[in-house]
Amino acid sequence: NPDPAMKPWADLRDDFKNSNRLQASRIAEFLDRIGYRIESTDGSAPPITLSPEEIEQLAEMEHGRWIIERLQSGWHYDAKRDPAKKLSPYLVPWSKLSDKVKGYDRSAVASWPSVMAQAGLRIVRR
């Protein structure tokens, strides 16, 4: 894949690795905002499934976090995406994104329960 943001971890640019770490660092806070917490698990219960409404809320929060992170690291808005030049058409409010682009964040947050389970954690209602 020629997109530098979509390379395997070992080949990922440091700024993109940092972006992934920053996303992970905010998961507990975002889940707390919608009434969940994270705890250890023995794996006996399957991961929860977040509702479409919860996914939408979390995805919008994640997009806001992503915009701040990108702007702080020197990215700028441009109609044409160019990760090498730190340009993105997605540096806009959630309401201005296409459903396709919103899908990136929706997909990421919907995966959080299974990713947590792989790490011996689970998401539970507070």
Side-chain angles (χ1 to χ4, degrees):
N1 190 335
D3 186 339
M6 301 304 293
K7 292 186 177 190
W9 184 261
D11 301 327
L12 206 55
R13 277 184 0 205
D14 286 343
D15 59 329
F16 292 123
K17 285 181 180 181
N18 191 49
S19 180
N20 283 286
R21 290 181 188 111
L22 289 170
Q23 180 187 65
S25 75
R26 300 294 295 278
I27 291 173
E29 175 191 339
F30 292 166
L31 289 168
D32 182 65
R33 288 187 194 171
I34 65 164
Y36 288 97
R37 62 185 169 80
I38 299 170
E39 65 180 31
S40 294
T41 182
D42 61 8
S44 60
I48 65 158
T49 300
L50 297 165
S51 74
E53 296 79 15
E54 291 168 333
I55 289 170
E56 194 70 10
Q57 286 179 288
L58 292 166
E60 187 171 355
M61 285 184 236
E62 169 51 25
H63 180 68
R65 183 215 58 82
W66 178 87
I67 286 176
I68 292 166
E69 173 227 312
R70 285 294 196 263
L71 293 174
Q72 288 176 336
S73 64
W75 284 68
H76 298 280
Y77 173 84
D78 194 276
K80 183 167 175 20
R81 184 171 181 271
D82 187 341
K85 294 180 181 176
K86 295 187 171 185
L87 300 173
S88 176
Y90 312 139
L91 292 170
V92 296
W94 182 253
S95 61
K96 304 280 187 199
L97 293 174
S98 69
D99 259 353
K100 178 183 177 186
V101 174
K102 287 179 180 180
Y104 302 144
D105 288 312
R106 290 175 182 140
S107 188
V109 301
S111 74
W112 289 353
S114 61
V115 170
M116 295 272 178
Q118 292 172 22
L121 302 169
R122 68 180 180 159
I123 300 169
V124 295
R125 178 79 49 203
R126 269 193 280 109

